[in-house]
Amino acid sequence: MTVLAVGLALLGSLFFALGAALQQFEAAGTPHAGLGRLARRPRWLIGGLAIAGGTALHIVALKYGPLTLVQPLGVASLLFALPCAAALRHRRPRVGELASAAVIAVGLIGLVMVVPEHAGKPHLSTGEAVALLAGAATAALMLWALARRVSPAARACLLAVGAGVLYGATATLTRVLVDGDWEFWFLLAVPMPALIALVLLQRAYAVGHFGVAFAALQVADPLTAVAFGALLLGEPLPTGAASALTALVAAALVAGGTVALARTTPMSPHMT
C-alpha cells in the first residue's frame, strides 16, 4: 500500500505541475485577460482539469499512505513544473533553476515535516470564520497593492503569495466542512476566497516568472493553512529546540532558493 501511495502522490504532483504550466503559458500569452477570456482557451481549461486530477490523486494517495509520507511528496510538483513549462516553450530547463527549485523543495519538506499531526475535530465559530476570511482578504489585498510597486519577479512572488494565503483560508474552511462542526454559510463562503485566489494566481502567472510564482504558491498555501489551523482550530505547532532549528534552516533554504530562482528563471517569451 505504501508503494501505491507514493506512486499516486507522485503522479498527482505531475498532473498538478503540468496543469499549472499550461495555465501559466496561456496567462502569460494574454497578460491583461480576465478569467472569462482565459476560460475560453482549451489549453487553460485542460490545465485546470489536470490540476483537479492531481488534487484528486493526492487525496486518494492519503487513503493508502500516511500524511507524513504523502504530504512531502506533493512538493515534487515544484520539480516537475519547471521542465513542463520549459517544454511548452521549446527549451531545456536551466541547471540553475532546477537546483534552486530543489533547494526550495528540500526546505518546504523540512517545514512540512516539523508540523505535528492533529487528530482532533476542527471547529470554527461564526466569529472565527469571519476573522479567517477577513484576515486572508486583508493580507491578499496588501500583497496585491505592494506588488504594483516592485520588480516583475517580486510582483509574481507577491501575487502568488496572496493567492496562497487565500487558498490556505479555503483549505482551513474545507477541513472544517469535511471533519468538523460547521454552519451552512461556510459552504457558501468556500468558493469566494478560492475564486479570488485563482484570479491573483493568473495575474502572477501573467508576469512571466513561472518558477517564482509557482514556488511562492507552493510555500504560502500550506504554511498559511498551518498558521490558520494553529490560530483558529487549536492545532499544534512545532515545539522543542530541534524542531525550531529545523524550521529555521528550512525557512532559510526556501527563502534563498526563491531568490536564486528569481535570478535564474527566464521571463516568459511573451513578456520580453
Side-chain angles (χ1 to χ4, degrees):
M1 289 299 183
T2 299
V3 174
L4 179 59
V6 170
L8 288 171
L10 289 176
L11 185 60
S13 294
L14 177 59
F15 271 57
F16 192 88
L18 178 60
L22 286 169
Q23 290 198 333
Q24 193 271 341
F25 186 85
E26 292 298 327
T30 53
H32 302 295
L35 282 183
R37 186 174 175 184
L38 287 172
R40 291 195 293 271
R41 292 178 172 267
R43 187 153 30 193
W44 190 88
L45 289 174
I46 292 172
L49 291 175
I51 291 172
T55 302
L57 285 169
H58 187 82
I59 293 171
V60 174
L62 288 171
K63 293 183 176 294
Y64 297 102
L67 182 65
T68 52
L69 173 67
V70 174
Q71 194 73 359
L73 289 174
V75 178
S77 59
L78 179 59
L79 301 178
F80 292 145
L82 294 179
C84 288
L88 285 171
R89 292 175 174 81
H90 307 289
R91 69 171 182 87
R92 292 182 179 179
R94 297 177 178 178
V95 174
E97 59 183 320
L98 291 177
S100 300
V103 170
I104 297 170
V106 170
L108 187 53
I109 288 173
L111 290 173
V112 169
M113 294 297 290
V114 298
V115 178
E117 291 189 57
H118 179 58
K121 192 174 184 180
H123 171 75
L124 271 182
S125 67
T126 297
E128 289 170 336
V130 170
L132 167 69
L133 294 172
T138 301
L141 182 61
M142 292 175 64
L143 289 165
W144 172 78
L146 184 59
R148 304 179 68 180
R149 299 173 173 83
V150 296
S151 66
R155 187 182 313 133
C157 180
L158 290 173
L159 289 172
V161 170
V165 169
L166 290 167
Y167 278 134
T170 303
T172 303
L173 276 177
T174 302
R175 187 154 62 241
V176 174
L177 288 173
V178 171
D179 295 323
D181 301 319
W182 48 278
E183 300 178 26
F184 180 75
W185 75 269
F186 291 6
L187 192 62
L188 302 177
V190 165
M192 292 189 295
L195 182 60
I196 299 171
L198 182 60
V199 173
L200 278 180
L201 186 58
Q202 300 312 308
R203 293 286 181 90
Y205 285 164
V207 174
H209 286 274
F210 173 61
V212 176
F214 192 71
L217 176 69
Q218 290 291 95
V219 173
D221 184 355
L223 292 188
T224 301
V226 168
F228 282 139
L231 290 172
L232 299 174
L233 302 182
E235 297 181 350
L237 287 174
T239 57
S243 294
L245 180 60
T246 301
L248 184 62
V249 172
L253 288 174
V254 168
T258 302
V259 171
L261 190 60
R263 293 175 176 176
T264 57
T265 303
M267 287 276 283
S268 165
H270 298 293
M271 308 305 295
T272 56

